Amino acid sequence: PVPSAIRSPDVKRWTGIAAAGVAALLITEFILHQVVGPRPELDQSKALADFFVTHHNMLLTLALIDTVLMANIIVFLGGFRQIITHARHDLQWIADITFGAGLVFVAITMVGDAMEAGSALDVVRLTPDASAIRALTEGHAVMFGATGCVLLAVVSGSSAYTVLASRALPRW
């Protein structure tokens, strides 16, 4: 007998599941960030070190949640690209821009999360090094500042265009 072929996963279903995962994890992160509160200014070395001492477990938890969030974003981006290119093959190049910029955003987010997690780990059973925490926090800010904003603009703009042009998804 000929072995039966394994069916391909339903792209729309998995894209929707990933989108729901992204939404749930973003809400969870938002709530946890409200619990943690604002980080002290970078020129307040003692307060910054104390912040990480107080909140290191929550910050490490947020980095873990963000890792799962980024995995969901990768699944969503892959599914989104497939849905768009199936509806309109001529829009593949724009869908590829969305996918590529999204992957770079995920990578930058993971580096930024590693910097923040490094700051949180710096205080676990150790005397906090305020200069190390400040340096990692500054790097984290750069990752999520202009760099992250430019990539989000590319992802948002290209995905909005492909959704409107392809009519593969609802306009909302």
Side-chain angles (χ1 to χ4, degrees):
V2 176
S4 61
I6 297 175
R7 287 186 26 170
S8 174
D10 182 357
V11 173
K12 288 185 179 181
R13 173 177 288 160
W14 281 103
T15 305
I17 290 169
V22 168
L25 292 165
L26 282 173
I27 291 168
T28 303
E29 278 192 356
F30 176 79
I31 292 167
L32 293 178
H33 275 291
Q34 299 309 307
V35 170
V36 169
R39 180 180 295 127
E41 296 295 322
L42 292 175
D43 61 351
Q44 300 173 349
S45 296
K46 171 97 172 81
L48 189 62
D50 291 343
F51 174 83
F52 277 92
V53 168
T54 303
H55 299 292
H56 68 274
N57 284 329
M58 186 70 79
L59 294 170
L60 290 169
T61 301
L62 282 164
L64 177 62
I65 291 170
D66 217 28
T67 301
V68 177
L69 170 63
M70 293 303 117
N72 277 272
I73 288 175
I74 291 170
V75 172
F76 174 79
L77 289 169
F80 178 80
R81 180 184 171 279
Q82 180 66 24
I83 290 168
I84 296 300
T85 58
H86 187 265
R88 292 262 316 263
H89 187 70
D90 61 313
L91 295 175
Q92 180 173 350
W93 71 277
I94 302 172
D96 288 347
I97 290 171
T98 304
F99 184 73
L103 289 182
V104 174
F105 176 77
V106 166
I108 284 177
T109 299
M110 298 305 295
V111 171
D113 285 344
M115 290 178 169
E116 186 165 61
S119 295
L121 288 172
D122 183 65
V123 303
V124 177
R125 295 189 203 105
L126 300 170
T127 303
D129 181 351
S131 62
I133 292 171
R134 179 179 174 178
L136 288 169
T137 303
E138 287 173 338
H140 176 266
V142 170
M143 290 295 200
F144 288 108
T147 306
C149 289
V150 167
L151 289 168
L152 280 177
V154 172
V155 171
S156 300
S158 60
S159 61
Y161 180 83
T162 56
V163 167
L164 294 174
S166 71
R167 299 177 191 236
L169 299 167
R171 293 177 79 85
W172 53 268

mmCIF file of all heavy atoms in Angstrom, residues 104-151:
data_model
loop_
_atom_site.group_PDB
_atom_site.id
_atom_site.type_symbol
_atom_site.label_atom_id
_atom_site.label_comp_id
_atom_site.label_asym_id
_atom_site.label_seq_id
_atom_site.Cartn_x
_atom_site.Cartn_y
_atom_site.Cartn_z
ATOM 1 N N VAL A 104 12.957 40.644 11.308
ATOM 2 C CA VAL A 104 14.012 41.489 11.873
ATOM 3 C C VAL A 104 13.518 42.134 13.170
ATOM 4 O O VAL A 104 14.260 42.208 14.154
ATOM 5 C CB VAL A 104 14.488 42.546 10.855
ATOM 6 C CG1 VAL A 104 15.473 43.514 11.489
ATOM 7 C CG2 VAL A 104 15.115 41.873 9.648
ATOM 8 N N PHE A 105 12.265 42.563 13.198
ATOM 9 C CA PHE A 105 11.701 43.125 14.424
ATOM 10 C C PHE A 105 11.727 42.089 15.552
ATOM 11 O O PHE A 105 12.075 42.410 16.692
ATOM 12 C CB PHE A 105 10.267 43.619 14.196
ATOM 13 C CG PHE A 105 9.614 44.105 15.452
ATOM 14 C CD1 PHE A 105 9.925 45.343 15.979
ATOM 15 C CD2 PHE A 105 8.710 43.302 16.131
ATOM 16 C CE1 PHE A 105 9.343 45.787 17.161
ATOM 17 C CE2 PHE A 105 8.118 43.737 17.303
ATOM 18 C CZ PHE A 105 8.437 44.971 17.823
ATOM 19 N N VAL A 106 11.370 40.860 15.238
ATOM 20 C CA VAL A 106 11.405 39.785 16.236
ATOM 21 C C VAL A 106 12.829 39.602 16.754
ATOM 22 O O VAL A 106 13.054 39.500 17.970
ATOM 23 C CB VAL A 106 10.844 38.466 15.657
ATOM 24 C CG1 VAL A 106 11.194 37.281 16.539
ATOM 25 C CG2 VAL A 106 9.333 38.567 15.472
ATOM 26 N N ALA A 107 13.803 39.587 15.849
ATOM 27 C CA ALA A 107 15.198 39.404 16.266
ATOM 28 C C ALA A 107 15.664 40.547 17.160
ATOM 29 O O ALA A 107 16.292 40.318 18.202
ATOM 30 C CB ALA A 107 16.092 39.286 15.031
ATOM 31 N N ILE A 108 15.338 41.768 16.788
ATOM 32 C CA ILE A 108 15.734 42.921 17.590
ATOM 33 C C ILE A 108 15.039 42.894 18.949
ATOM 34 O O ILE A 108 15.649 43.210 19.973
ATOM 35 C CB ILE A 108 15.449 44.219 16.818
ATOM 36 C CG1 ILE A 108 16.523 44.395 15.756
ATOM 37 C CG2 ILE A 108 15.395 45.424 17.741
ATOM 38 C CD1 ILE A 108 16.342 45.586 14.884
ATOM 39 N N THR A 109 13.796 42.488 18.963
ATOM 40 C CA THR A 109 13.071 42.379 20.230
ATOM 41 C C THR A 109 13.735 41.358 21.139
ATOM 42 O O THR A 109 13.888 41.579 22.344
ATOM 43 C CB THR A 109 11.598 42.005 19.976
ATOM 44 O OG1 THR A 109 10.992 43.032 19.197
ATOM 45 C CG2 THR A 109 10.835 41.840 21.278
ATOM 46 N N MET A 110 14.143 40.240 20.570
ATOM 47 C CA MET A 110 14.789 39.207 21.369
ATOM 48 C C MET A 110 16.133 39.688 21.934
ATOM 49 O O MET A 110 16.478 39.385 23.077
ATOM 50 C CB MET A 110 14.984 37.933 20.550
ATOM 51 C CG MET A 110 13.678 37.299 20.073
ATOM 52 S SD MET A 110 12.500 36.953 21.376
ATOM 53 C CE MET A 110 13.369 35.734 22.302
ATOM 54 N N VAL A 111 16.868 40.465 21.162
ATOM 55 C CA VAL A 111 18.124 41.030 21.666
ATOM 56 C C VAL A 111 17.828 42.021 22.793
ATOM 57 O O VAL A 111 18.479 42.009 23.840
ATOM 58 C CB VAL A 111 18.936 41.693 20.536
ATOM 59 C CG1 VAL A 111 20.122 42.473 21.091
ATOM 60 C CG2 VAL A 111 19.407 40.654 19.534
ATOM 61 N N GLY A 112 16.839 42.881 22.588
ATOM 62 C CA GLY A 112 16.458 43.832 23.633
ATOM 63 C C GLY A 112 15.994 43.125 24.902
ATOM 64 O O GLY A 112 16.355 43.520 26.015
ATOM 65 N N ASP A 113 15.215 42.063 24.733
ATOM 66 C CA ASP A 113 14.775 41.287 25.900
ATOM 67 C C ASP A 113 15.959 40.643 26.606
ATOM 68 O O ASP A 113 15.989 40.556 27.836
ATOM 69 C CB ASP A 113 13.782 40.202 25.478
ATOM 70 C CG ASP A 113 12.413 40.755 25.158
ATOM 71 O OD1 ASP A 113 12.122 41.911 25.529
ATOM 72 O OD2 ASP A 113 11.628 40.027 24.528
ATOM 73 N N ALA A 114 16.939 40.179 25.839
ATOM 74 C CA ALA A 114 18.132 39.580 26.442
ATOM 75 C C ALA A 114 18.894 40.618 27.256
ATOM 76 O O ALA A 114 19.427 40.306 28.330
ATOM 77 C CB ALA A 114 19.027 38.978 25.357
ATOM 78 N N MET A 115 18.933 41.851 26.775
ATOM 79 C CA MET A 115 19.598 42.918 27.538
ATOM 80 C C MET A 115 18.874 43.183 28.851
ATOM 81 O O MET A 115 19.507 43.315 29.901
ATOM 82 C CB MET A 115 19.682 44.194 26.704
ATOM 83 C CG MET A 115 20.635 44.108 25.564
ATOM 84 S SD MET A 115 20.602 45.636 24.620
ATOM 85 C CE MET A 115 22.019 45.393 23.583
ATOM 86 N N GLU A 116 17.553 43.260 28.789
ATOM 87 C CA GLU A 116 16.795 43.498 30.017
ATOM 88 C C GLU A 116 16.902 42.308 30.960
ATOM 89 O O GLU A 116 17.050 42.478 32.176
ATOM 90 C CB GLU A 116 15.331 43.787 29.701
ATOM 91 C CG GLU A 116 14.554 44.173 30.942
ATOM 92 C CD GLU A 116 13.231 44.809 30.638
ATOM 93 O OE1 GLU A 116 12.396 44.135 29.994
ATOM 94 O OE2 GLU A 116 13.033 45.966 31.039
ATOM 95 N N ALA A 117 16.847 41.098 30.423
ATOM 96 C CA ALA A 117 17.001 39.907 31.267
ATOM 97 C C ALA A 117 18.402 39.869 31.874
ATOM 98 O O ALA A 117 18.569 39.463 33.026
ATOM 99 C CB ALA A 117 16.730 38.643 30.450
ATOM 100 N N GLY A 118 19.404 40.314 31.119
ATOM 101 C CA GLY A 118 20.760 40.398 31.662
ATOM 102 C C GLY A 118 20.837 41.346 32.838
ATOM 103 O O GLY A 118 21.511 41.070 33.841
ATOM 104 N N SER A 119 20.125 42.464 32.749
ATOM 105 C CA SER A 119 20.067 43.400 33.877
ATOM 106 C C SER A 119 19.394 42.751 35.072
ATOM 107 O O SER A 119 19.843 42.916 36.212
ATOM 108 C CB SER A 119 19.295 44.665 33.486
ATOM 109 O OG SER A 119 19.979 45.375 32.495
ATOM 110 N N ALA A 120 18.330 42.005 34.827
ATOM 111 C CA ALA A 120 17.620 41.332 35.925
ATOM 112 C C ALA A 120 18.487 40.236 36.536
ATOM 113 O O ALA A 120 18.499 40.052 37.759
ATOM 114 C CB ALA A 120 16.297 40.760 35.421
ATOM 115 N N LEU A 121 19.222 39.520 35.718
ATOM 116 C CA LEU A 121 20.098 38.459 36.229
ATOM 117 C C LEU A 121 21.296 39.029 36.985
ATOM 118 O O LEU A 121 21.854 38.370 37.865
ATOM 119 C CB LEU A 121 20.577 37.564 35.089
ATOM 120 C CG LEU A 121 19.530 36.643 34.479
ATOM 121 C CD1 LEU A 121 20.079 35.957 33.241
ATOM 122 C CD2 LEU A 121 19.042 35.624 35.498
ATOM 123 N N ASP A 122 21.692 40.254 36.654
ATOM 124 C CA ASP A 122 22.836 40.884 37.311
ATOM 125 C C ASP A 122 22.614 41.066 38.815
ATOM 126 O O ASP A 122 23.581 41.183 39.556
ATOM 127 C CB ASP A 122 23.128 42.240 36.653
ATOM 128 C CG ASP A 122 24.352 42.909 37.239
ATOM 129 O OD1 ASP A 122 25.457 42.347 37.067
ATOM 130 O OD2 ASP A 122 24.212 43.956 37.893
ATOM 131 N N VAL A 123 21.365 41.078 39.235
ATOM 132 C CA VAL A 123 21.081 41.350 40.649
ATOM 133 C C VAL A 123 20.729 40.102 41.448
ATOM 134 O O VAL A 123 20.570 40.177 42.661
ATOM 135 C CB VAL A 123 19.951 42.395 40.791
ATOM 136 C CG1 VAL A 123 20.307 43.680 40.062
ATOM 137 C CG2 VAL A 123 18.624 41.848 40.301
ATOM 138 N N VAL A 124 20.608 38.956 40.799
ATOM 139 C CA VAL A 124 20.210 37.739 41.497
ATOM 140 C C VAL A 124 21.391 37.223 42.321
ATOM 141 O O VAL A 124 22.410 36.818 41.767
ATOM 142 C CB VAL A 124 19.720 36.662 40.506
ATOM 143 C CG1 VAL A 124 19.378 35.370 41.243
ATOM 144 C CG2 VAL A 124 18.520 37.162 39.727
ATOM 145 N N ARG A 125 21.248 37.269 43.631
ATOM 146 C CA ARG A 125 22.261 36.807 44.587
ATOM 147 C C ARG A 125 23.614 37.484 44.395
ATOM 148 O O ARG A 125 24.657 36.915 44.714
ATOM 149 C CB ARG A 125 22.414 35.298 44.524
ATOM 150 C CG ARG A 125 21.183 34.550 44.969
ATOM 151 C CD ARG A 125 21.476 33.061 45.086
ATOM 152 N NE ARG A 125 20.252 32.313 44.972
ATOM 153 C CZ ARG A 125 19.887 31.623 43.907
ATOM 154 N NH1 ARG A 125 20.661 31.549 42.874
ATOM 155 N NH2 ARG A 125 18.747 30.981 43.892
ATOM 156 N N LEU A 126 23.622 38.658 43.815
ATOM 157 C CA LEU A 126 24.855 39.414 43.607
ATOM 158 C C LEU A 126 24.648 40.855 44.053
ATOM 159 O O LEU A 126 23.518 41.316 44.184
ATOM 160 C CB LEU A 126 25.241 39.423 42.122
ATOM 161 C CG LEU A 126 25.509 38.085 41.449
ATOM 162 C CD1 LEU A 126 25.625 38.278 39.947
ATOM 163 C CD2 LEU A 126 26.772 37.462 42.002
ATOM 164 N N THR A 127 25.738 41.553 44.231
ATOM 165 C CA THR A 127 25.660 42.990 44.459
ATOM 166 C C THR A 127 25.425 43.637 43.101
ATOM 167 O O THR A 127 26.210 43.418 42.169
ATOM 168 C CB THR A 127 26.968 43.520 45.071
ATOM 169 O OG1 THR A 127 27.218 42.807 46.287
ATOM 170 C CG2 THR A 127 26.876 45.005 45.346
ATOM 171 N N PRO A 128 24.350 44.388 42.960
ATOM 172 C CA PRO A 128 24.044 44.978 41.648
ATOM 173 C C PRO A 128 25.163 45.899 41.160
ATOM 174 O O PRO A 128 25.736 46.658 41.931
ATOM 175 C CB PRO A 128 22.772 45.779 41.896
ATOM 176 C CG PRO A 128 22.219 45.276 43.171
ATOM 177 C CD PRO A 128 23.361 44.739 43.969
ATOM 178 N N ASP A 129 25.457 45.797 39.881
ATOM 179 C CA ASP A 129 26.430 46.678 39.242
ATOM 180 C C ASP A 129 25.639 47.717 38.449
ATOM 181 O O ASP A 129 25.162 47.441 37.347
ATOM 182 C CB ASP A 129 27.348 45.870 38.335
ATOM 183 C CG ASP A 129 28.418 46.712 37.654
ATOM 184 O OD1 ASP A 129 28.366 47.958 37.747
ATOM 185 O OD2 ASP A 129 29.313 46.115 37.028
ATOM 186 N N ALA A 130 25.487 48.896 39.039
ATOM 187 C CA ALA A 130 24.648 49.937 38.434
ATOM 188 C C ALA A 130 25.120 50.318 37.033
ATOM 189 O O ALA A 130 24.300 50.597 36.155
ATOM 190 C CB ALA A 130 24.600 51.162 39.334
ATOM 191 N N SER A 131 26.447 50.303 36.801
ATOM 192 C CA SER A 131 26.933 50.688 35.465
ATOM 193 C C SER A 131 26.569 49.628 34.425
ATOM 194 O O SER A 131 26.235 49.962 33.282
ATOM 195 C CB SER A 131 28.446 50.929 35.494
ATOM 196 O OG SER A 131 29.134 49.747 35.855
ATOM 197 N N ALA A 132 26.602 48.347 34.797
ATOM 198 C CA ALA A 132 26.206 47.285 33.867
ATOM 199 C C ALA A 132 24.713 47.363 33.581
ATOM 200 O O ALA A 132 24.286 47.242 32.423
ATOM 201 C CB ALA A 132 26.563 45.917 34.443
ATOM 202 N N ILE A 133 23.930 47.586 34.634
ATOM 203 C CA ILE A 133 22.475 47.695 34.460
ATOM 204 C C ILE A 133 22.146 48.880 33.558
ATOM 205 O O ILE A 133 21.323 48.778 32.650
ATOM 206 C CB ILE A 133 21.776 47.815 35.828
ATOM 207 C CG1 ILE A 133 21.928 46.495 36.593
ATOM 208 C CG2 ILE A 133 20.307 48.195 35.662
ATOM 209 C CD1 ILE A 133 21.474 46.568 38.031
ATOM 210 N N ARG A 134 22.826 49.997 33.789
ATOM 211 C CA ARG A 134 22.563 51.188 32.976
ATOM 212 C C ARG A 134 22.938 50.938 31.517
ATOM 213 O O ARG A 134 22.185 51.284 30.599
ATOM 214 C CB ARG A 134 23.337 52.384 33.518
ATOM 215 C CG ARG A 134 23.108 53.619 32.690
ATOM 216 C CD ARG A 134 23.841 54.804 33.223
ATOM 217 N NE ARG A 134 23.680 55.902 32.289
ATOM 218 C CZ ARG A 134 24.165 57.090 32.479
ATOM 219 N NH1 ARG A 134 24.822 57.381 33.571
ATOM 220 N NH2 ARG A 134 23.978 58.025 31.578
ATOM 221 N N ALA A 135 24.092 50.319 31.270
ATOM 222 C CA ALA A 135 24.528 50.062 29.893
ATOM 223 C C ALA A 135 23.548 49.135 29.174
ATOM 224 O O ALA A 135 23.177 49.378 28.015
ATOM 225 C CB ALA A 135 25.934 49.465 29.895
ATOM 226 N N LEU A 136 23.123 48.078 29.845
ATOM 227 C CA LEU A 136 22.167 47.153 29.224
ATOM 228 C C LEU A 136 20.820 47.839 28.994
ATOM 229 O O LEU A 136 20.162 47.613 27.971
ATOM 230 C CB LEU A 136 22.001 45.912 30.103
ATOM 231 C CG LEU A 136 23.207 44.968 30.115
ATOM 232 C CD1 LEU A 136 23.056 43.920 31.211
ATOM 233 C CD2 LEU A 136 23.393 44.303 28.761
ATOM 234 N N THR A 137 20.409 48.687 29.933
ATOM 235 C CA THR A 137 19.132 49.402 29.792
ATOM 236 C C THR A 137 19.194 50.394 28.636
ATOM 237 O O THR A 137 18.223 50.545 27.887
ATOM 238 C CB THR A 137 18.763 50.106 31.112
ATOM 239 O OG1 THR A 137 18.714 49.124 32.158
ATOM 240 C CG2 THR A 137 17.432 50.807 31.010
ATOM 241 N N GLU A 138 20.334 51.060 28.474
ATOM 242 C CA GLU A 138 20.479 51.987 27.345
ATOM 243 C C GLU A 138 20.423 51.238 26.012
ATOM 244 O O GLU A 138 19.784 51.694 25.053
ATOM 245 C CB GLU A 138 21.786 52.767 27.465
ATOM 246 C CG GLU A 138 21.752 53.820 28.555
ATOM 247 C CD GLU A 138 23.104 54.469 28.793
ATOM 248 O OE1 GLU A 138 24.149 53.859 28.450
ATOM 249 O OE2 GLU A 138 23.120 55.580 29.324
ATOM 250 N N GLY A 139 21.081 50.085 25.940
ATOM 251 C CA GLY A 139 21.021 49.275 24.720
ATOM 252 C C GLY A 139 19.612 48.803 24.438
ATOM 253 O O GLY A 139 19.151 48.813 23.291
ATOM 254 N N HIS A 140 18.907 48.425 25.485
ATOM 255 C CA HIS A 140 17.511 48.011 25.376
ATOM 256 C C HIS A 140 16.661 49.153 24.813
ATOM 257 O O HIS A 140 15.824 48.946 23.933
ATOM 258 C CB HIS A 140 17.029 47.589 26.774
ATOM 259 C CG HIS A 140 15.600 47.222 26.859
ATOM 260 N ND1 HIS A 140 14.627 48.128 27.216
ATOM 261 C CD2 HIS A 140 14.959 46.055 26.648
ATOM 262 C CE1 HIS A 140 13.455 47.526 27.223
ATOM 263 N NE2 HIS A 140 13.637 46.267 26.881
ATOM 264 N N ALA A 141 16.912 50.361 25.309
ATOM 265 C CA ALA A 141 16.145 51.528 24.842
ATOM 266 C C ALA A 141 16.395 51.807 23.366
ATOM 267 O O ALA A 141 15.468 52.142 22.614
ATOM 268 C CB ALA A 141 16.496 52.753 25.689
ATOM 269 N N VAL A 142 17.626 51.648 22.914
ATOM 270 C CA VAL A 142 17.943 51.871 21.495
ATOM 271 C C VAL A 142 17.228 50.842 20.629
ATOM 272 O O VAL A 142 16.662 51.170 19.584
ATOM 273 C CB VAL A 142 19.477 51.816 21.265
ATOM 274 C CG1 VAL A 142 19.796 51.793 19.785
ATOM 275 C CG2 VAL A 142 20.141 52.998 21.938
ATOM 276 N N MET A 143 17.229 49.589 21.080
ATOM 277 C CA MET A 143 16.571 48.524 20.309
ATOM 278 C C MET A 143 15.081 48.803 20.137
ATOM 279 O O MET A 143 14.531 48.592 19.070
ATOM 280 C CB MET A 143 16.741 47.170 20.996
ATOM 281 C CG MET A 143 18.123 46.645 20.958
ATOM 282 S SD MET A 143 18.587 46.316 19.257
ATOM 283 C CE MET A 143 19.907 45.205 19.495
ATOM 284 N N PHE A 144 14.445 49.247 21.213
ATOM 285 C CA PHE A 144 13.007 49.471 21.153
ATOM 286 C C PHE A 144 12.648 50.897 20.767
ATOM 287 O O PHE A 144 11.484 51.218 20.614
ATOM 288 C CB PHE A 144 12.348 49.108 22.485
ATOM 289 C CG PHE A 144 12.310 47.638 22.711
ATOM 290 C CD1 PHE A 144 13.121 47.050 23.652
ATOM 291 C CD2 PHE A 144 11.479 46.834 21.961
ATOM 292 C CE1 PHE A 144 13.092 45.680 23.858
ATOM 293 C CE2 PHE A 144 11.445 45.470 22.150
ATOM 294 C CZ PHE A 144 12.255 44.895 23.101
ATOM 295 N N GLY A 145 13.638 51.757 20.608
ATOM 296 C CA GLY A 145 13.393 53.137 20.228
ATOM 297 C C GLY A 145 13.216 53.265 18.729
ATOM 298 O O GLY A 145 12.336 52.658 18.111
ATOM 299 N N ALA A 146 14.112 54.019 18.125
ATOM 300 C CA ALA A 146 14.011 54.322 16.701
ATOM 301 C C ALA A 146 14.065 53.065 15.836
ATOM 302 O O ALA A 146 13.308 52.938 14.864
ATOM 303 C CB ALA A 146 15.137 55.281 16.307
ATOM 304 N N THR A 147 14.931 52.129 16.181
ATOM 305 C CA THR A 147 15.073 50.915 15.371
ATOM 306 C C THR A 147 13.766 50.139 15.319
ATOM 307 O O THR A 147 13.278 49.773 14.244
ATOM 308 C CB THR A 147 16.192 50.018 15.948
ATOM 309 O OG1 THR A 147 17.380 50.786 16.054
ATOM 310 C CG2 THR A 147 16.429 48.803 15.082
ATOM 311 N N GLY A 148 13.185 49.897 16.472
ATOM 312 C CA GLY A 148 11.917 49.169 16.531
ATOM 313 C C GLY A 148 10.790 49.914 15.843
ATOM 314 O O GLY A 148 9.959 49.311 15.158
ATOM 315 N N CYS A 149 10.781 51.241 16.001
ATOM 316 C CA CYS A 149 9.709 52.045 15.393
ATOM 317 C C CYS A 149 9.762 52.008 13.871
ATOM 318 O O CYS A 149 8.724 51.903 13.213
ATOM 319 C CB CYS A 149 9.780 53.486 15.892
ATOM 320 S SG CYS A 149 9.295 53.668 17.615
ATOM 321 N N VAL A 150 10.954 52.082 13.305
ATOM 322 C CA VAL A 150 11.095 52.031 11.842
ATOM 323 C C VAL A 150 10.610 50.682 11.317
ATOM 324 O O VAL A 150 9.853 50.612 10.338
ATOM 325 C CB VAL A 150 12.556 52.311 11.418
ATOM 326 C CG1 VAL A 150 12.782 51.950 9.956
ATOM 327 C CG2 VAL A 150 12.905 53.755 11.675
ATOM 328 N N LEU A 151 11.013 49.604 11.986
ATOM 329 C CA LEU A 151 10.586 48.274 11.538
ATOM 330 C C LEU A 151 9.077 48.093 11.683
ATOM 331 O O LEU A 151 8.432 47.520 10.801
ATOM 332 C CB LEU A 151 11.339 47.193 12.303
ATOM 333 C CG LEU A 151 12.812 47.086 11.927
ATOM 334 C CD1 LEU A 151 13.559 46.212 12.917
ATOM 335 C CD2 LEU A 151 12.963 46.554 10.512
#
